[in-house]
Amino acid sequence: MAPALPGSPGRVPDRVLGPRRPRDRPGPGLVPAGLGHSTATTRRPDPGRTSTVATVATMRTRLTELLDIQHPVMLAGMGGVSYHRLVAAVSEAGGIGTFGASTMRPGELVDEMAEVRAVTSKPFGVDLLQAMAGQVEQGVQDVIDGGASVFVAGLGVPREAIDELHRANILVGSMCGKVRHAVAAVASGCDFVVAQGTEGGGHTGTVATLALVPQVVDAIDGKVPVVAAGGIFDGRGLAAALTLGADGVWVGTRFIATPEARAVNGYKEALLATAEDGTVISRAYTGKTCRVLRNEWTNHFEAHPDELQPFPQQIIAAAEAGVAHLGHPEGTEVDVTREFMPAGQGVGAIDSLVPAGELVVRFVEEAEAALHRAGASLA
């Protein structure tokens, strides 16, 4: 039986399940209200690309309807981390994997998408971070040719790119750190928005997730699904997101601590050793505000802000100093006391590496349990 959200003994508020835009043609539609659960077979890829089969509940929201997936869990498109093994594992488990293409070499995304298609027929997405004029033609064409279902941009999507992607039946999402960013994204034609709070790792804003998500939900007013992001590391975060009116979650840091994630030596170990207060928002690596593990490099620029350069010059400076290796081959040796290691504040809750497919299942099971507990407390 589907759990009820707090305050609703047998029914979920209508905006948990609302307007749907089918993948074959973006446009209005309606999905019956209710948080649907059904028994489904979910495959959980392991690091060796073999699969085990588990039977889990399917959590249905507007996001799962829109993306044609089983569970409202999206892998964040993390540059240097979200490559084919991780993307395929999350998609095959019923969520949706998203490539982090910002650190990929020319042509690498094409090869990576082919690797995913070789092991799963499930939907996947691509995050190019920023679809600037110079990127649009080749980057968008690669996404189309590679068979992606979703395109996400972190710093805005040009209208012409949205139109081209829609013509190819590809859904478009936009990362938003403020309400006005989400409103503008919907006005430009985006099919969903990701409301990311300041707790999230990587490039981030200043508004906390708990405050940002419901304000975005209210401002969007059901026009498109809203995905919550920032500091979400388990199923309790998914349950909280749903009660705030969001339709799913975008998860980054927790998926770095998986066997399938690509990482330089020491990155995953550093996550396991870091407490919840071990991150800092710094411009030390990119020139833009970015939440990373605090270290000697961030401390230096915190003490000497006059030495910071704007984006993208600071990226070049960090690379030349040998402290930025996102996108380098797995196993690359780095100086962990200075290396660029994006991470969110949920890092303190991570104490082990867990296969990505298993994490997707855990998110759903833990969310269901949390929703039942909340409902029981109001009975």
Side-chain angles (χ1 to χ4, degrees), residues 172-263:
V172 181
S174 182
M175 303 296 297
C176 305
K178 295 182 180 180
V179 172
R180 67 172 183 268
H181 298 162
V183 172
V186 174
S188 70
C190 286
D191 302 292
F192 66 93
V193 295
V194 181
Q196 178 175 300
T198 188
E199 300 96 321
H203 291 107
T204 193
T206 59
V207 184
T209 304
L210 187 62
L212 178 65
V213 171
Q215 292 185 69
V216 169
V217 168
D218 290 346
I220 296 307
D221 195 25
K223 295 181 179 70
V224 302
V226 175
V227 182
I232 297 171
F233 54 85
D234 66 15
R236 292 172 296 180
L238 172 56
L242 295 175
T243 62
L244 292 174
D247 303 287
V249 290
W250 174 268
V251 182
T253 305
R254 186 61 191 92
F255 279 115
I256 303 175
T258 62
E260 298 92 342
R262 180 162 157 176

Side-chain angles (χ1 to χ4, degrees), residues 349-363:
I350 303 172
D351 58 11
S352 63
L353 302 185
V354 177
E358 176 65 28
L359 281 180
V360 174
V361 174
R362 286 190 187 182
F363 265 90

Side-chain angles (χ1 to χ4, degrees), residues 4-9 11 13 239 243 370-371 374-375 377-378:
L5 292 179
S8 179
R11 179 180 173 86
T243 62
L371 291 171
S377 69
L378 297 174

Side-chain angles (χ1 to χ4, degrees), residues 201-202 253 256 266-282 284-285 290-299 336-348 350:
T253 305
I256 303 175
Y267 192 175
K268 296 178 185 181
E269 292 79 5
L271 295 182
L272 301 183
T274 299
E276 77 283 354
D277 61 351
T279 66
V280 62
I281 294 180
S282 175
Y285 292 102
C290 189
R291 186 176 292 281
V292 300
L293 296 186
R294 181 186 289 277
N295 59 27
E296 293 177 5
W297 184 261
T298 63
N299 289 341
V336 294
T337 67
R338 303 169 76 231
E339 180 64 24
F340 183 23
M341 296 182 180
Q345 289 183 313
V347 66
I350 303 172

